[in-house]
Amino acid sequence: GSVEGAIEEERRRLGTVRESADVAIDTSDLNVHDLRRRVVELFGDGSSRDSTQVTVMSFGYKYGVPPDADLVLDCRFLPNPHWVEELRSMTGLDPEVQDYVASFELTDEFLDRLHPLLDLLLPAYVDEGKSVLTIAFGCTGGRHRSVSMAERLAGWLRQRGIEPRLRHRDVLK
């Protein structure tokens, strides 16, 4: 059938739902942000402004950049534990690899610059009403540097009262 016919059929089928509804929101002129604000205004309890779920993830560039990442941070500038024979079979979850990645002044300088940026961005994302924020760290294979840096950022967030989800997409590849 036609689009008009499909709309009429949908209206007919949803007629009883609409009749029993307390509120109907006309979304004709709303973008997704306006719709979210309207729903929170009608049904939120005020606490939802602080409900942004932060996910910190690691990935390997050779498997592709995660399409759902909001912030992508490239760790390939850090020395690669893959080239250290005794670390190659380990991952960024192992203390030896974490210590290796943390042993470079460049790692501390990177984090010293990243933390103030996140201090600025995280509240702004909450104020914007973003419900999910994904911060992704990438390295070549997603096993060493990105995993180690994601673990460090998750710890830093926990110190600030944010309990992030932690996901290591490619660590076992």
Side-chain angles (χ1 to χ4, degrees), residues 46-143:
S47 64
S48 62
R49 290 180 61 81
D50 298 324
S51 65
T52 300
Q53 174 60 58
V54 177
T55 298
V56 178
M57 71 180 300
S58 64
F59 71 95
Y61 276 96
K62 69 181 183 179
Y63 304 110
V65 176
D68 56 343
D70 298 295
L71 300 172
V72 176
L73 301 160
D74 188 345
C75 297
R76 293 176 292 185
F77 65 91
L78 295 171
N80 193 345
H82 176 80
W83 302 116
V84 178
E85 189 62 39
E86 60 270 17
L87 300 178
R88 181 173 296 163
S89 65
M90 297 180 188
T91 73
L93 298 171
D94 292 301
E96 296 88 347
V97 173
Q98 290 179 3
D99 290 345
Y100 176 82
V101 172
S103 71
F104 297 95
E105 188 175 311
L106 191 54
T107 302
D108 288 334
E109 188 172 345
F110 173 62
L111 292 171
D112 287 346
R113 293 174 186 226
L114 176 61
H115 293 157
L117 177 63
L118 292 176
D119 282 335
L120 170 73
L121 294 179
L122 291 172
Y125 280 122
V126 170
D127 288 346
E128 178 59 26
K130 189 158 183 59
S131 58
V132 177
L133 175 68
T134 301
I135 304 168
F137 289 91
C139 64
T140 305
R143 292 182 37 85

